[in-house]
Amino acid sequence: MAKSTFETSTSSSGEGSGSGVVVSVPYDEKPARKESLPRRVWDSFKRSPDFHITQKGQVGADGQVFDIESAAQNTAESPLARKLKGRHLQMIAIGGSIGTGLFVGSGKALQQGGPASLLIAFSLIGAMLFCTVQALGEMAVLLPVAGSFSAYSTRFLDPAWGFAMGWNYAMQWLIVLPLEIVAAAITIGYWNSPVSPAVWVTVFLVAIVSINLVGVQGYGEAEFVFSIIKVIAVIGFIILGIILDVGGGKNAEYVGGRYWSAPGAFNNGFKGLCSVFVIAAFAFAGTELVGLAAAETANPRKSLPTAVKQVFWRICLFYIVSLTLVGLLVPYTDRRLIGQSSSDAKASPFVIAIKDAGIIGLDSVMNVVIMISVLSVGNSAVYGSSRTLAALAEQGQAPQFLAYIDRKGRPLKAIGVAAAVGFLAYLAATSKENDVFIWLQALSGLSSIFTWGSICLAHIRFRRAWRIQGRSLNELAFRSQAGIIGSWIGFIFNVLVLVAQFWIGFAPIKPQYGHPITGVIPRVRSFFQAYLAAPVVLLCYIVYKVIYRTPIMGCKDMDLKTGVRDLNLAELIADEELERASWPKWKKAYKFLC
């Protein structure tokens, strides 16, 4: 028996037109009404209807073969929300990773290597990272897939290495969250606050997790605001530093390069230089988030190249120039530098330089900026780790419950795991907060070297496969300015940094204050503080390789089609070139540089 119906007329030509379309609506089915706000919020946490997981059978019938096609398809079709705009991506590139690595960790680098080593190490790591981000940009514009770093290693190198790199990167950001909050507790101690560090840990942890629960748009807006504040602060410090160095301070005393002469430009010689590399890597960690964010960007082919180019200016201006001024204004023998003593490890070299100038209150302003940096990098930590864990789960390389993505595009359960690891930050309430900072920094710093080296190697293999499969470089929407040579330089330099860090771990430098490291147990502790990430990565790779016997991907077998977002690439590029032709010269020059 048919359902009873009533008829309604909907106008299609304006008010009172009398014309419209007759629609039959069943009497027993009421028209849909807008749900209440609490109901909509509750429903947003339900599983996405577009959810994809790695299908059963991704491992062959013998249980030994990894299904690379299934992994590629799932990461390419990830239901992550694509709501990041160009301005979000540009600010992530410019200021996303400016945090305690620059403001606090640079103090230890200055103390161990001196101002010249500080500049050399940060410049070399910066040059290497420019090549790396260019290579990543080329792959991410063409293939903006979820969890791009591990996905590219899985697709272009070896699924076992993709597994190792995915967990390495996820672990890095999982560890960075408590690390940044511990650094916040150390910095708050600068004001001799009577409040327990556990209270501050709770405040920061709740704030960071709440931002990520808003969704990717909340992450983008928060990073946009945080990055603007950090960029203004660094530019302000650069201007102030120049004034102070030329004698514009309270005592009107010209400083110049006196600290490069006494106590000197280098400390601990070549070994001191090598010791700064891992600290520099930690400070630059997060620059590659531009590639990870590509999967959630509305138009990566348009916005990503601009963000990648701006990495160069961030490296030059915010790191090299500011650290040059730090080396001019603070001697490496200053006992207040972090790492020299547990009682005086409460200030960054930026704060020390301002305080020595006698400017009342400005040192506290700089510490507030460091607090904002903690929120920013902690925000990036939850974002980076949760997206990587979700991508690993979609490739069948992590528990599948981590691939849960809700209707707002949030990898909800992966965010929960990141928040749970964040509770390690409560160790800041103990007397071992400085030891915790050193161990967490060592683990996350070296992890970045593995990530960047893998990106460069994946790009080398991608370019080779692109050529062997008969594709032209003109088909690439964005081409690395550093080219394949830049990727080779980046890869080789990453290997050299690993070798140098092994040497530092095996034969540590003599502390400037205190006793030299002697004995078996202290040396073993020193080695793992410098090289903790390496055995973890190798263990992940070997175990996965042995269990699944994954093949090293051949260039002819690499999938260069799945995940390519733009179908009419030639037509789109032609339209953009026509648009560029109408630009004035100043805009062409600006777009070339930025």
Side-chain angles (χ1 to χ4, degrees), residues 52 65 78 82 87 103 107 118 160 162 209 240 255 310 332 338 353 380 481 511 559 569 584:
H52 299 280
V65 180
S78 172
R82 290 175 173 173
R87 63 182 178 89
F103 292 130
L118 185 69
V209 174
L240 176 63
V255 179
Q310 289 176 348
Y332 67 76
I338 191 167
S380 297
Q481 291 177 321
D559 181 4
L569 189 59

Side-chain angles (χ1 to χ4, degrees), residues 123-180:
S123 298
L124 290 176
I125 291 289
M128 175 271 293
L129 195 54
F130 175 75
C131 296
T132 302
V133 175
Q134 287 284 326
L136 176 62
E138 180 175 303
M139 294 186 292
V141 170
L142 184 71
L143 301 164
V145 298
S148 57
F149 315 128
S150 60
Y152 296 149
S153 293
T154 296
R155 190 182 292 200
F156 303 134
L157 299 176
D158 182 347
W161 190 248
F163 171 81
M165 285 301 95
W167 277 103
N168 168 70
Y169 194 73
M171 190 187 315
Q172 172 190 342
W173 282 114
L174 287 171
I175 292 299
V176 162
L177 176 60
L179 170 63
E180 291 296 315

Side-chain angles (χ1 to χ4, degrees), residues 142 155-156 461-472 475 553-562:
L142 184 71
R155 190 182 292 200
F156 303 134
R461 297 276 294 160
F462 161 75
R463 276 288 191 96
R464 180 174 173 79
W466 192 260
R467 177 174 56 83
I468 289 178
Q469 294 188 22
R471 309 293 291 272
S472 169
E475 298 178 56
M553 300 306 300
C555 292
K556 294 182 180 180
D557 302 324
M558 290 182 190
D559 181 4
L560 301 177
K561 297 180 180 180
T562 305

Side-chain angles (χ1 to χ4, degrees), residues 107-374:
K108 182 180 179 182
L110 178 61
Q111 184 269 321
Q112 289 189 346
S117 293
L118 185 69
L119 276 184
I120 293 171
F122 272 78
S123 298
L124 290 176
I125 291 289
M128 175 271 293
L129 195 54
F130 175 75
C131 296
T132 302
V133 175
Q134 287 284 326
L136 176 62
E138 180 175 303
M139 294 186 292
V141 170
L142 184 71
L143 301 164
V145 298
S148 57
F149 315 128
S150 60
Y152 296 149
S153 293
T154 296
R155 190 182 292 200
F156 303 134
L157 299 176
D158 182 347
W161 190 248
F163 171 81
M165 285 301 95
W167 277 103
N168 168 70
Y169 194 73
M171 190 187 315
Q172 172 190 342
W173 282 114
L174 287 171
I175 292 299
V176 162
L177 176 60
L179 170 63
E180 291 296 315
I181 298 176
V182 168
I186 293 175
T187 308
I188 287 176
Y190 178 82
W191 292 293
N192 298 315
S193 172
V195 180
S196 170
V199 175
W200 297 112
V201 167
T202 303
V203 170
F204 280 108
L205 191 58
V206 170
I208 290 169
V209 174
S210 298
I211 290 171
N212 277 270
L213 286 178
V214 173
V216 66
Q217 201 162 9
Y219 163 78
E221 294 296 345
E223 277 305 296
F224 184 77
V225 175
F226 291 155
S227 294
I228 288 177
I229 295 173
K230 290 187 291 183
V231 166
I232 292 174
V234 173
I235 293 175
F237 176 82
I238 289 172
I239 296 172
L240 176 63
I242 293 172
I243 295 173
L244 295 176
D245 189 65
V246 299
K250 183 178 181 181
N251 300 323
E253 183 181 7
Y254 177 76
V255 179
R258 70 170 62 169
Y259 295 133
W260 282 62
S261 300
F266 292 94
N267 188 25
N268 298 307
F270 182 68
K271 186 177 287 187
L273 172 63
C274 292
S275 69
V276 179
F277 280 126
V278 72
I279 301 174
F282 170 75
F284 280 116
T287 305
E288 70 287 338
L289 275 173
V290 174
L292 192 66
E296 299 184 72
T297 304
N299 187 357
R301 197 174 59 82
K302 183 176 181 179
S303 56
L304 212 104
T306 300
V308 167
K309 289 177 184 177
Q310 289 176 348
V311 169
F312 172 77
W313 298 109
R314 192 194 78 188
I315 291 170
C316 289
L317 179 62
F318 301 138
Y319 283 87
I320 306 305
V321 176
S322 63
L323 290 175
T324 299
L325 292 168
V326 163
L328 290 172
L329 297 172
V330 182
Y332 67 76
T333 53
D334 196 311
R335 284 180 172 268
R336 291 169 296 178
L337 292 173
I338 191 167
Q340 292 195 12
S341 67
S342 60
S343 60
D344 290 329
K346 303 296 184 183
S348 79
F350 289 79
V351 175
I352 293 173
I354 293 172
K355 191 172 183 180
D356 287 348
I359 304 175
I360 299 174
L362 193 56
D363 54 337
S364 292
V365 173
M366 197 66 197
N367 267 287
V368 171
V369 173
I370 294 175
M371 296 297 99
I372 293 172
S373 299
V374 167

